[in-house]
Amino acid sequence: MIYRIFSSLSSFKELTFHSGLNVLLADKSEESTSKHTRNGAGKSSVLEIIHFLTAGDCPDDSIFKDPKLITYRFGMEFDLAGKPVEVQRSGENPGEVLVRRSDDTSEWPIQPEIHPETSARYLTNGNWDRVLGAMMFGIGRQLSEDRERYSPTFRNLFTYFAR
């Protein structure tokens, strides 16, 4: 379950979720007419943030590399294998996923490292993909190196479940 999605960007409106069905809707004011759209409300941006925080790519044309957003962190608090975890990532350092509020990572196949400058716990984005794959789909747990190379990744499978 996703508990919240947030950002260090002060104008970002934190999203909080509860158990059960959560629906993202754009508000329509009483002044709205049939010519007003609900574009620009941020629904697609939420999906981009979830994609980004679950080991998605961050190419040069990503919204997270936009000069107005590149220094800000985006984060998500959610359950991973039944335990709460918080991760954060920025366009400035897209190869690092900060791991916070996860007291027990002992069952993770790859343990977070300690950043030498900030002392924050982090994983490379590639290792985060491997952790998510192992914890959510059991990928790579008992595969030989050769078989693992040709097996699906978390990102390959996640897109099917996120549609």
Side-chain angles (χ1 to χ4, degrees), residues 11 15 30 43 64 67 77 86 90 111 114 124 126 156 160:
S11 61
L15 296 168
E30 289 191 26
K43 299 177 302 292
F64 303 101
E77 192 174 330
E86 179 186 301
S90 73
Q111 294 300 304
I114 304 297
T124 65
N156 296 141
Y160 291 102

Side-chain angles (χ1 to χ4, degrees), residues 108-119:
W108 292 14
I110 302 168
Q111 294 300 304
E113 298 179 45
I114 304 297
H115 197 283
E117 296 170 16
T118 64
S119 298

Side-chain angles (χ1 to χ4, degrees), residues 118-131:
T118 64
S119 298
R121 295 186 315 151
Y122 77 98
L123 289 165
T124 65
N125 194 53
N127 282 343
W128 179 231
D129 181 54
R130 289 178 190 90
V131 167

Side-chain angles (χ1 to χ4, degrees), residues 1-2 16-24:
M1 177 178 156
I2 297 174
T16 56
F17 301 93
H18 57 80
S19 62
L21 178 66
N22 291 263
V23 179
L24 292 177

Side-chain angles (χ1 to χ4, degrees), residues 66-155:
D66 184 295
K68 295 175 188 169
L69 298 176
I70 196 165
T71 61
Y72 295 100
R73 286 191 188 144
F74 291 84
M76 181 168 63
E77 192 174 330
F78 66 105
D79 284 334
L80 180 59
K83 296 179 181 174
V85 63
E86 179 186 301
V87 293
Q88 295 181 20
R89 193 174 174 205
S90 73
E92 190 170 45
N93 296 309
E96 292 181 356
V97 178
L98 298 180
V99 178
R100 302 205 167 167
R101 293 192 188 172
S102 179
D103 298 331
D104 184 11
T105 60
S106 61
E107 293 183 23
W108 292 14
I110 302 168
Q111 294 300 304
E113 298 179 45
I114 304 297
H115 197 283
E117 296 170 16
T118 64
S119 298
R121 295 186 315 151
Y122 77 98
L123 289 165
T124 65
N125 194 53
N127 282 343
W128 179 231
D129 181 54
R130 289 178 190 90
V131 167
L132 290 172
M135 302 306 290
M136 291 190 172
F137 298 115
I139 298 171
R141 290 200 172 213
Q142 297 180 0
L143 294 177
S144 67
E145 189 175 314
D146 187 48
R147 291 257 336 251
E148 186 173 353
R149 185 176 356 169
Y150 299 106
S151 71
T153 66
F154 168 78
R155 294 297 315 158

